[in-house]
Every structure is written in structure tokens, then in C-alpha cells.
Amino acid sequence: MRKSASIFLSVCALFALMAAPGWGATFDVVASGNGAYVGASGLQAAIDAASNGDTINVGAGTYALTSEITLNKAVTLKGSGNPILDGQNKCRVINCKASATIDGFVIANGNVGTTIIRSEANAPNGGGLLIAADNVTGKNCSFSKNTANAGGGVKVDANNATIINCVFSDNTVNAEYGYGGGLNFANIASNISLKNCTFTANSAHHGGGLYIYGRATVVNSSFSGNAATGGFGMGGGLYAGSDASVSSGTATVTNCTFVENSATGYGEELC
């Protein structure tokens, strides 16, 4: 009886472990060669086949996209060897529609808008990454040479986004009144946390490096060579909207550096 009870308890423990957070299937994607999931289409196929809680390991190399990656599962997308997700200036790189983690990628050459328009309200946003779901984490990623009408590198349209150890460089916003060359967070009722990030040589009408309009915490990050390029551009490095101003305490900026950012209006470093 004791042996049977022990086996029963072991089986119960196994099922409990399987139900615990972090247990899930693993999918392996390679840039080229042989495998179940190969290239950009293979990456999308792996996401489509995955379930919430799974992990998708993406190998080194370049994944040339002709359409955006739709990330609609709460999975961990884990890059090994800094794989490059290349939008080829044809499409957004990732449209994140679930509470996923994106870790260890170069996200480059995404493009969702080259026509200069007057307002970002109905414009295509987030050239590199569009975050459209709550509780998304992006970490150890580089966003480079992406283009949009708001949020050249990343546009956050959701709550509780966390961005850690990411680099934003040479991203551009085209809209005449578009904000946030590197990253745009414009949701007054939501939160975002940025830690240990670098914003370099990004440009937009306002907020060349970073634009925030909501509850934000920015810690241990650097801003250099970003530009607010509009007719009266504000906040070359960082621009905080009136309801998210640093002075009001809604936005907290701690231990950050601002060097040689520029603005055609005012607030070259921080506005």
C-alpha cells in the first residue's frame, strides 16, 4: 500500500509541475538549413503551433520578412546569438497581440509608413514592434533603422509594458506631428517601465529618443544624439506629455544621462 501511495503521489506531483508556470513545449527555429521551422515563415509557423506558456528558441542568422510577424500567443520568444529580424523596409517586424516576452533580437528595417501625414492618430505606428497587449516584456533587444508615423522603433498601446536592456538607434518617425523616434508610449491610463536602455540617433517631431504620455518609470538609461526635428520640435532626448510631465511626478526619470541631443524648438535634452 505504501508503494502504491508513493507512486500515486509522484504522479500527482508530476501533474502539478506540468500545470505550474514555466512548463510548456519548446520549438526550435533556424534561419536556414534543415528543421521543422526554418526562416521567417518557419518562425511564424512556430508561433502558430505554440500554446500560451511555450518557448520558441530562434537561432542566429537573418530572418528576412515580407510580412509582419504576428505574435498572438503568450509565449517566450528567445533569440540565441542575436538573430536579426529584418523588415527589409517592407513591413512592421513584430505585431505583439499577447502577453509575450521577446528576448535577445535585433529588430531592424521595419517600415509601416513613409508618407508624411499631419497626425499620428490614424497612422501606422511601431515600425519595429507594436505592443498591443498588456504585460509584454522586451529585453536584450536592439531596435535599429525602423520607420513609422509614431514610435519608429517601438509603439506601446497597452498597459504594464517592461523594456529592459534594449538599444534604440537610428529609428525615425515621419508624421509631421509624430512622436517618439525610438519609442512612443501614449496611454495616460497605463504604465511602462524602462531600465538600462540606450537611445542613440533617433528622430521625431517631438521626443526624438523617447516620448511618454502616461505613468512611466525610466531608470539607468542614456540618451545621446537624438533629435526633435519638427517646425518647433520639443524634447530631443525625451519628451513627456503634459499629463505625464516629469515635474508632476507622473513620469519618473532616475539616474539617466542626456548628451548632445537637439531640438528645433526647446528642451534639447529633456522636455
Side-chain angles (χ1 to χ4, degrees), residues 49-148:
S51 299
N52 292 340
D54 291 349
T55 297
I56 300 172
N57 295 317
V58 182
T62 298
Y63 297 77
L65 308 177
T66 55
S67 60
E68 69 180 23
I69 295 167
T70 301
L71 185 53
N72 56 1
K73 308 284 179 64
V75 299
T76 295
L77 203 62
K78 173 65 175 175
S80 176
N82 297 312
I84 301 168
L85 306 182
D86 185 358
Q88 302 188 93
N89 287 309
K90 296 178 179 179
C91 60
R92 175 187 292 119
V93 177
I94 300 177
N95 187 348
C96 186
K97 300 180 177 182
S99 301
T101 295
I102 303 168
D103 182 4
F105 291 89
V106 175
I107 296 174
N109 302 317
N111 193 327
V112 290
T114 57
T115 301
I116 297 177
I117 61 175
R118 190 169 182 79
S119 172
E120 69 175 59
N122 298 308
N125 301 324
L129 169 64
L130 175 63
I131 296 178
D134 294 344
N135 304 310
V136 170
T137 297
K139 57 184 180 178
N140 305 316
C141 290
S142 174
F143 299 88
S144 179
K145 297 181 180 179
N146 300 288
T147 303

Side-chain angles (χ1 to χ4, degrees), residues 12-262:
C12 289
L14 176 61
F15 278 106
L17 179 61
M18 291 175 66
W23 184 280
T26 298
F27 297 79
D28 294 319
V29 182
V30 295
S32 60
N34 298 319
Y37 302 100
V38 179
S41 61
L43 175 53
Q44 185 63 64
I47 294 169
D48 294 342
S51 299
N52 292 340
D54 291 349
T55 297
I56 300 172
N57 295 317
V58 182
T62 298
Y63 297 77
L65 308 177
T66 55
S67 60
E68 69 180 23
I69 295 167
T70 301
L71 185 53
N72 56 1
K73 308 284 179 64
V75 299
T76 295
L77 203 62
K78 173 65 175 175
S80 176
N82 297 312
I84 301 168
L85 306 182
D86 185 358
Q88 302 188 93
N89 287 309
K90 296 178 179 179
C91 60
R92 175 187 292 119
V93 177
I94 300 177
N95 187 348
C96 186
K97 300 180 177 182
S99 301
T101 295
I102 303 168
D103 182 4
F105 291 89
V106 175
I107 296 174
N109 302 317
N111 193 327
V112 290
T114 57
T115 301
I116 297 177
I117 61 175
R118 190 169 182 79
S119 172
E120 69 175 59
N122 298 308
N125 301 324
L129 169 64
L130 175 63
I131 296 178
D134 294 344
N135 304 310
V136 170
T137 297
K139 57 184 180 178
N140 305 316
C141 290
S142 174
F143 299 88
S144 179
K145 297 181 180 179
N146 300 288
T147 303
N149 286 290
V154 176
K155 179 72 165 72
V156 180
D157 280 337
N159 192 23
N160 290 330
T162 301
I163 310 295
I164 305 172
N165 296 332
C166 289
V167 175
F168 300 81
S169 62
D170 297 298
N171 300 288
T172 305
V173 160
N174 283 324
E176 185 178 351
Y177 292 101
Y179 298 4
L183 186 147
N184 176 308
F185 170 67
N187 192 335
I188 192 171
S190 298
N191 301 283
I192 188 171
S193 174
L194 294 100
K195 300 177 182 178
N196 303 324
C197 291
T198 301
F199 294 82
T200 303
N202 304 284
S203 63
H205 184 97
H206 296 316
L210 171 64
Y211 173 78
I212 50 179
Y213 193 87
R215 295 187 294 269
T217 301
V218 186
V219 180
N220 296 336
S221 296
S222 64
F223 300 79
S224 62
N226 303 287
T229 59
F232 195 76
M234 297 182 290
L238 184 156
Y239 180 90
S242 59
D243 291 318
S245 65
V246 173
S247 60
S248 74
T250 305
T252 302
V253 179
T254 305
N255 197 29
C256 294
T257 59
F258 296 83
V259 179
E260 295 184 353
N261 300 285
S262 64

